Every structure is written in C-alpha cells, then in structure tokens.
Amino acid sequence: MNNIIVAKFGGSSLADSNQFNKVKSIALANEKRRYIVPSAPGKRYKEDHKITDLLYLCHAHVEQNIPFGDVFSVIENRFLELVEELDVTIDIKEYLKEIKTNIAQGASADYTASRGEYLNGLILANFLKYEFVDPVEIIFFNEKGIFDEERTQRAVSKKLLKIDKAVIPGFYGSMPNGDVRTFSRGGSDVTGSIIARGVNADLYENWTDVSGFLMADPRIVENPKNIKNITYRELRELSYMGATVLHEEAIFPVRKASIPINIKNTNSPDDEGTYIINDLSPASYAGSITGVAGKKDFTIITIEKSMMNIEQGYCRRILSVLEDNNVSFEHIPSGVDTVSLVIAQSQLDGKLERILKEIEIKCKPDSIDVHPDIALVAVVGIGMLRTIGISAKIFEALAKEDINVTMISQGSSEINIIVGVENSNFENAVRAIYNAFSK
C-alpha cells in the first residue's frame, strides 16, 4: 500500500470561492490525498457559462476576425473575483494578460481551451499550499496526437513521487514539439486516472456534484437507488448508453493497475458514493441488474435476402456502403435471412436515401424496411450472468406497459441486454424495467 489517493475535482466542485473552500476541507481532511487534479470552473448557476465554453468562443472569434475582448473580460472577472475572495498570493492579472495575448496572436484551440484548467490549477495549488505541476511536463501525446501511455507513465512516476503534495491541472498535456494538446471534453477525468496509475495510488477519487451513479436517470425515474459497486465493464456499457457521470475513457489507465475509482459528491462529502471496481471481483448480486440507461433517435434498416447466410461477403458489401458514406453503426442484430443495421439518426442526416439506393444496387436484397425514431434501452449487470429468468422479467415488465419491442441484442458476455422501442415509449420503458428490478 502506497497510502496515496488521487482526487479529481470537476468544474461544479470549483465553480466559485465557496466551492474552493469545500475542496480545501476535503483535500486536507485526509493526508493520503497527495495529488489533486482540477477542472476549469463550471457553472455557478443555471444561466452561467462554463469557462471552457467561453475560451472556445474566444478562439472562434479570433478565427473569424471578430473582437473577443468582451468574452475574455467575463473570463478575467471570474478569475479575478476568485483570487480576491480566496485571498491567494498569485498575480493572476499577469497570467491572464499573457493568455489573452497568445489567443489574439492565433494560439491553437487546444491551448486556448486548456487555460481554464491551467489557471484553476495555479489558484488551487496556492490555496492548498501544494506544489503546482504543469501537465505539459508529464502528460504526452505522439506526433499523431495520440496519447503516449508509456512515456507519460515514466514521467508521472519520476516527477510526482518526488513531490509530497501537488496540483496537476486536468484535460491537457503536450505534443513532441511542446504544443498543448487536450483530451476530449471531460478529459480531466482521464488526467486523474493517468496520475493515479503513474503514482500507483490506492484509490482514485472523482469528486463531482452527484453522490455516485444511480440505477437510472433521475429525470425519468423518481429517486432511483444509488449504485454502491459497479465494475469497469458495467460502467463502460452504462456510460456508452448515456449515463454520464464519468468520462468513459477514464477507466482504462486505472483498470490496468486494478485501482478502484470512488465517485464522490463535493457538496455531500460524507455520502459513500459509488465504487468502480475490478472486473474480476465476483458479483455478490446475482439475479439483479446494476442499472438501466438508454438513448433516443436511432433508425433501424432491415435487409432481407433469401439464403443470405450462405452468400459469402454479403454483410461485407452492406457495411462497405456505410463506410463509403462515412456512417458508423451501433448494432447489427441478424437472422438467417435478415440483417439489421442500427444507426444513430444524426449519422444519417441527408444520407439515408443514397445509402438505401446503394444497398439495392450492391446487395440486391429481397426487401429493405426502415424503422426511424427508435430508442435503445440497455439493461446492464454482472449479476445477470448465467441467471435464468432475467430476459423474461424485462419483457414481462415491458408487456405490462403495452410497450412493443422492435429489436433485441445481447452480447456473448451476457452483462447487457439492449432492446429497441419507439421513441415515444422510451421513458416508460426505462421506468418499467427499473421498477421490475428495484423492489
């Protein structure tokens, strides 16, 4: 045991001075919290703006030769107010001046967007009396902009294990030439995971504004139960289907080192939260599900052709049509003489008629049916493995609500079952399945 906890705090956790004080109390409450990873300031209230959004807007203004001073002044005022209220000894005006100059001179979108984390990191390090470590020194991307895992791992270990306590901003690192490179939005979660693996932490805490994962979306299900434990694989499935508490790529670095992740609430620090644990841990909740999540607006294209199963290369020709039109699919349920393509409608915008025509020409099907406005509902859980009756329970719950199922997909891993329903039945389907398993 290294007695090290890496704690990442999201934008809502660092939105204003009041939140900064909560973070300080949490960080100093446990000596093991040696490495802190901050996001840029988030919204303080519903109509407020995230700092990262404003920085992207500044960059867009410069690209279009539009003055960005008014937008940048909003950013300046946020940070000036923060420094004044926290009474930290940092000349934030000089940093802001340098950043504004660089943006005006055509700094990249990645550099511009990363400055929210950079400034927040400087302020938090001063506030906590921790050392500041700029991620450009320890998190690296290769010439193609792909994360360089091995080089980063060595650099993080070498640099941080010599430092007792440090603040490392999230979201960005550097290219081989030193230019700033960012992860995708929400990438501070990934940074925290990289740091946790690099220092071989005992635990990676991810502090946000919710007390962990819920079994279902609270906007759909009233007061859904909290998920106490979830495996990396279950998290991937639920995150992919829209359960967005943690950036789905954040699990990979810590998964390799079997480091658990604890999702915690900055505003309710005593709540247990959710532990994301190793896939190899035996499920102690056989016969139950972990969660239910989903997304709307898919189209199902069903192609029927007699003897399709013995015609070599048939599915390859179908998929080549999608590839030629730069369209990706979500699922491919199939039968002996049928294959269905489940595609997000956003992918098909203006392309559907062309794709159907090309399938007709290349594949000569007996028929093609198109079912738009379909929602996918994923039922996920290690506890479903080799448990008799799970599928029956799901479909019985849907039948009781008169919900017709247009598609069923289950992977060989048996930890998820995906059903397709009409968009209009989506919320009712989620509620019906949740209620069937939450009693």
Side-chain angles (χ1 to χ4, degrees), residues 24-95:
K24 184 174 185 176
S25 296
I26 292 166
L28 301 184
N30 190 335
E31 281 295 315
K32 293 181 182 179
R33 293 190 180 110
R34 292 175 52 190
Y35 305 108
I36 309 296
V37 177
S39 294
K43 292 184 177 184
R44 295 162 293 184
Y45 44 88
K46 189 177 179 181
E47 296 77 20
D48 199 14
H49 299 283
K50 294 180 179 180
I51 288 294
T52 303
D53 290 340
L54 294 173
L55 286 164
Y56 273 122
L57 188 58
C58 287
H59 180 264
H61 275 43
V62 172
E63 281 201 319
Q64 296 168 33
N65 293 315
I66 300 171
F68 70 97
D70 288 348
V71 179
F72 196 81
S73 67
V74 177
I75 298 168
E76 282 180 318
N77 290 335
R78 281 282 295 273
F79 283 111
L80 289 169
E81 182 181 295
L82 200 52
V83 166
E84 182 181 352
E85 291 178 359
L86 295 174
D87 195 26
V88 293
T89 56
I90 179 172
D91 191 355
I92 198 70
K93 288 182 181 179
E94 278 302 308
Y95 288 107

Side-chain angles (χ1 to χ4, degrees), residues 88 173 211 270 285 352:
V88 293
S211 296
D270 294 330
Y285 37 94
L352 179 59

Side-chain angles (χ1 to χ4, degrees), residues 57-340:
L57 188 58
C58 287
H59 180 264
H61 275 43
V62 172
E63 281 201 319
Q64 296 168 33
N65 293 315
I66 300 171
F68 70 97
D70 288 348
V71 179
F72 196 81
S73 67
V74 177
I75 298 168
E76 282 180 318
N77 290 335
R78 281 282 295 273
F79 283 111
L80 289 169
E81 182 181 295
L82 200 52
V83 166
E84 182 181 352
E85 291 178 359
L86 295 174
D87 195 26
V88 293
T89 56
I90 179 172
D91 191 355
I92 198 70
K93 288 182 181 179
E94 278 302 308
Y95 288 107
L96 287 163
K97 182 180 177 182
E98 179 187 1
I99 291 167
K100 186 177 183 180
T101 300
N102 290 340
I103 294 172
Q105 292 175 352
S108 69
D110 281 20
Y111 167 87
T112 304
S114 72
R115 295 305 86 183
E117 277 77 10
Y118 174 72
L119 292 171
N120 236 21
L122 286 168
I123 295 168
L124 185 60
N126 192 294
F127 189 52
L128 295 178
K129 308 255 185 309
Y130 281 24
E131 188 168 332
F132 175 82
V133 176
D134 195 331
V136 297
E137 302 172 19
I138 57 172
I139 294 180
F140 303 113
F141 297 82
N142 65 22
E143 291 85 354
K144 295 180 179 179
I146 298 168
F147 173 59
D148 190 333
E149 184 179 356
E150 289 187 16
R151 187 183 173 205
T152 296
Q153 175 81 3
R154 291 194 301 270
V156 170
S157 299
K158 184 178 178 181
K159 176 87 173 180
L160 293 185
L161 290 176
K162 294 177 183 175
I163 301 171
D164 184 45
K165 294 186 175 182
V167 170
I168 310 100
F171 188 39
Y172 71 97
S174 62
M175 297 286 287
N177 64 358
D179 287 351
V180 169
R181 171 79 175 180
T182 61
F183 293 102
S184 58
R185 287 300 292 268
S188 292
D189 290 340
V190 183
T191 302
S193 187
I194 291 165
I195 299 301
R197 185 174 181 223
V199 300
N200 196 23
D202 301 312
L203 179 66
Y204 169 33
E205 292 179 338
N206 195 289
W207 293 83
T208 180
D209 55 1
V210 294
S211 296
F213 282 91
L214 301 172
M215 278 186 68
D217 189 334
R219 293 168 297 185
I220 298 173
V221 174
E222 189 175 351
N223 297 321
K225 291 180 180 177
N226 182 263
I227 301 172
K228 290 185 178 180
N229 294 299
I230 185 171
T231 65
Y232 298 129
R233 288 166 66 200
E234 290 170 312
L235 173 66
R236 279 280 289 165
E237 296 286 350
L238 288 172
S239 295
Y240 172 70
M241 290 303 290
T244 52
V245 173
L246 181 75
H247 193 297
E248 59 183 38
E249 292 175 18
I251 66 173
F252 292 117
V254 292
R255 183 179 190 174
K256 290 182 178 180
S258 295
I259 298 168
I261 305 172
N262 190 193
I263 308 295
K264 297 277 282 180
N265 190 341
T266 304
N267 303 314
S268 300
D270 294 330
D271 289 357
E272 185 180 357
T274 298
Y275 277 90
I276 303 165
I277 56 177
N278 196 303
D279 299 323
L280 301 176
S281 302
S284 60
Y285 37 94
S288 65
I289 68 169
T290 297
V292 53
K295 293 188 283 192
K296 289 183 176 182
D297 299 326
F298 292 90
T299 289
I300 300 177
I301 301 173
T302 300
I303 298 127
E304 184 171 355
K305 176 76 181 286
S306 293
M307 310 300 285
M308 178 193 294
N309 63 315
I310 62 171
E311 188 173 334
Q312 292 185 1
Y314 195 83
C315 285
R316 178 183 54 77
R317 292 200 299 276
I318 294 173
L319 296 179
S320 72
V321 173
L322 297 187
E323 185 179 357
D324 291 344
N325 286 278
N326 295 313
V327 169
S328 58
F329 62 88
E330 302 287 328
H331 301 278
I332 315 183
S334 62
V336 176
D337 294 325
T338 62
V339 62
S340 296

